[in-house]
Amino acid sequence: MKCSTQRRPAMDHGKWSQQGVPQKGWLCIDFTDLEGLYGICEMCETQRIRYVHYMKHPHYDDVLGVGSDCAGKMEEDYVAAQEREKRAKSKTSRRETWMNGNPRLYRNGFVIVVSFRYGRWGYWIKERKGEQSWSKSGFASEKKAKLAAFECFDELRN
């Protein structure tokens, strides 16, 4: 039996291989979690990504949404890219714990309560020594109220 060999086409490395696309000197201007959805890194054009680092370069017109490996290489700071993802993963974990747990939470000197009041779901957040304030919006479900409370608390604690 004879073995046949085929030549593989040259590897395409997306924009890393394109002339006119800077390799270094990029700045991360924004970051987002696609929350379970996946995109494709716009630099290497192969890696599936959930956490998107939005990169801008002074000599390139487009903002690119990329994964952490490409972001670290583009901004020449792998630690910064990994830290952004680490914070996002931690937030996701905290949110999942809160969403699956008790509608009352005591954290970092705050009390957060989700309840049904006046015909709608809402939440209140109170510093232990501060005033209590009820959410301004009504929510259709406990889940939506809990998610809004989590986001509000996350902003307060940062």
Side-chain angles (χ1 to χ4, degrees):
M1 182 164 116
K2 285 188 171 182
C3 290
S4 64
T5 58
Q6 295 180 354
R7 288 186 146 238
R8 283 196 203 176
M11 279 296 278
D12 179 22
H13 298 288
K15 289 183 181 63
W16 289 114
S17 305
Q18 292 179 7
Q19 292 231 354
V21 179
Q23 305 270 313
K24 299 177 181 177
W26 293 79
L27 176 67
C28 184
I29 60 169
D30 201 4
F31 178 86
T32 193
D33 175 359
L34 298 177
E35 297 183 11
L37 301 174
Y38 291 91
I40 299 292
C41 174
E42 292 179 338
M43 188 64 160
C44 67
E45 299 176 353
T46 58
Q47 187 66 43
R48 284 176 34 124
I49 57 174
R50 172 179 171 165
Y51 302 99
V52 184
H53 306 250
Y54 292 98
M55 308 299 287
K56 178 74 179 147
H57 194 280
H59 304 296
Y60 192 74
D61 290 337
D62 295 333
V63 171
L64 300 179
V66 305
S68 66
D69 290 341
C70 286
K73 187 173 180 179
M74 293 163 78
E75 67 184 326
E76 300 176 274
D77 189 348
Y78 289 97
V79 173
Q82 290 170 349
E83 278 299 313
R84 285 190 293 270
E85 285 202 16
K86 182 178 174 184
R87 284 192 306 271
K89 288 175 182 177
S90 175
K91 181 178 178 178
T92 298
S93 176
R94 289 190 321 271
R95 182 176 51 232
E96 287 174 3
T97 299
W98 164 245
M99 295 302 289
N100 294 321
N102 192 321
R104 181 180 304 252
L105 181 67
Y106 302 93
R107 288 285 185 276
N108 300 42
F110 288 88
V111 179
I112 304 112
V113 177
V114 173
S115 64
F116 192 75
R117 180 177 167 189
Y118 305 123
R120 65 186 179 133
W121 284 97
Y123 66 88
W124 56 265
I125 297 177
K126 173 185 173 186
E127 285 191 79
R128 291 212 174 137
K129 297 179 183 177
E131 291 186 25
Q132 168 183 320
S133 61
W134 181 254
S135 59
K136 303 220 183 310
S137 301
F139 300 93
S141 68
E142 179 183 21
K143 183 177 179 178
K144 288 181 180 181
K146 283 179 91 172
L147 187 56
F150 175 84
E151 292 299 332
C152 182
F153 172 67
D154 199 57
E155 280 184 34
L156 288 172
R157 65 183 279 275
N158 287 328

